Amino acid sequence: MTSDTEHPAEARGRSETADQRADRRFTDILQELRVTLTGTQLTSGFLLAVAFQSGFKDLTHDLRVHYLVLVGLAALATVLGLTPVLVHRLNSGKQIKDRVVRVANRLLIATLVVVSLLVIGVTSFIFEVVVSAVAGLWAAAVSVVVLLVLWGIAAAAHRIDGESVH
């Protein structure tokens, strides 16, 4: 059985030390976080701009609650996405990069879950404001199905021959 920091494909396909592998995997995580945080920042900017639009005051109580939940999710996604960098900074030079990689990987997965919920919520919110509450529910339902199908495909690809997708 392999650890969190080593996958069968890595053991077979690369000749690198455990430290080199940990460095590479952390660099991969940082690249993935950059992509994720860019999307989160754009979504957060959209959400912040919404509150300053003239029609915002006309939103129903339920829509305002929906909006504030989305702002909270955007803030949570941002903080989760920044935390692996903090973990790295706090542990730099302690010769525990493998543990840092495991923690950062878990935080990245948590970030992806929160960002996914954020995307579903924003999609639902837009459909609810533009069309109707029922359209918002349908948009959320379709988004959840698409998310589950894509994540199912990713999980299946991960399990093929016991290798991870990199």
Side-chain angles (χ1 to χ4, degrees):
M1 179 152 200
T2 59
S3 71
D4 276 350
T5 58
E6 181 180 329
H7 293 285
E10 291 174 336
R12 287 192 311 267
R14 297 183 183 267
S15 71
E16 57 189 1
T17 67
D19 287 342
Q20 289 170 327
R21 182 172 38 258
D23 287 342
R24 179 180 51 78
R25 292 198 69 223
F26 191 72
T27 299
D28 290 348
I29 288 169
L30 288 179
Q31 292 292 5
E32 293 161 359
L33 282 166
R34 282 184 186 106
V35 170
T36 304
L37 284 174
T38 299
T40 303
Q41 289 170 335
L42 290 170
T43 304
S44 297
F46 159 76
L47 288 170
L48 293 175
V50 166
F52 297 101
Q53 298 302 310
S54 60
F56 186 79
K57 66 183 181 316
D58 299 329
L59 293 180
T60 65
H61 173 75
D62 289 344
L63 281 172
R64 285 180 187 224
V65 169
H66 189 166
Y67 169 80
L68 291 173
V69 167
L70 295 174
V71 170
L73 283 173
L76 178 59
T78 301
V79 171
L80 277 170
L82 294 174
T83 302
V85 177
L86 175 65
V87 169
H88 182 260
R89 281 293 93 221
L90 293 175
N91 293 291
S92 182
K94 293 183 180 178
Q95 306 300 315
I96 58 170
K97 184 62 106 11
D98 59 330
R99 277 193 261 160
V100 170
V101 169
R102 281 195 303 274
V103 170
N105 185 58
R106 290 181 183 124
L107 287 165
L108 174 56
I109 290 170
T111 302
L112 293 172
V113 169
V114 173
V115 168
S116 295
L117 293 173
L118 177 61
V119 169
I120 291 166
V122 167
T123 303
S124 174
F125 180 77
I126 291 170
F127 272 78
E128 188 173 356
V129 169
V130 173
V131 182
S132 69
V134 172
L137 290 172
W138 274 104
V142 169
S143 297
V144 167
V145 168
V146 168
L147 173 84
L148 292 175
V149 167
L150 291 174
W151 282 23
I153 291 168
H158 176 77
R159 286 190 296 272
I160 294 173
D161 294 329
E163 297 179 6
S164 67
V165 176
H166 271 18

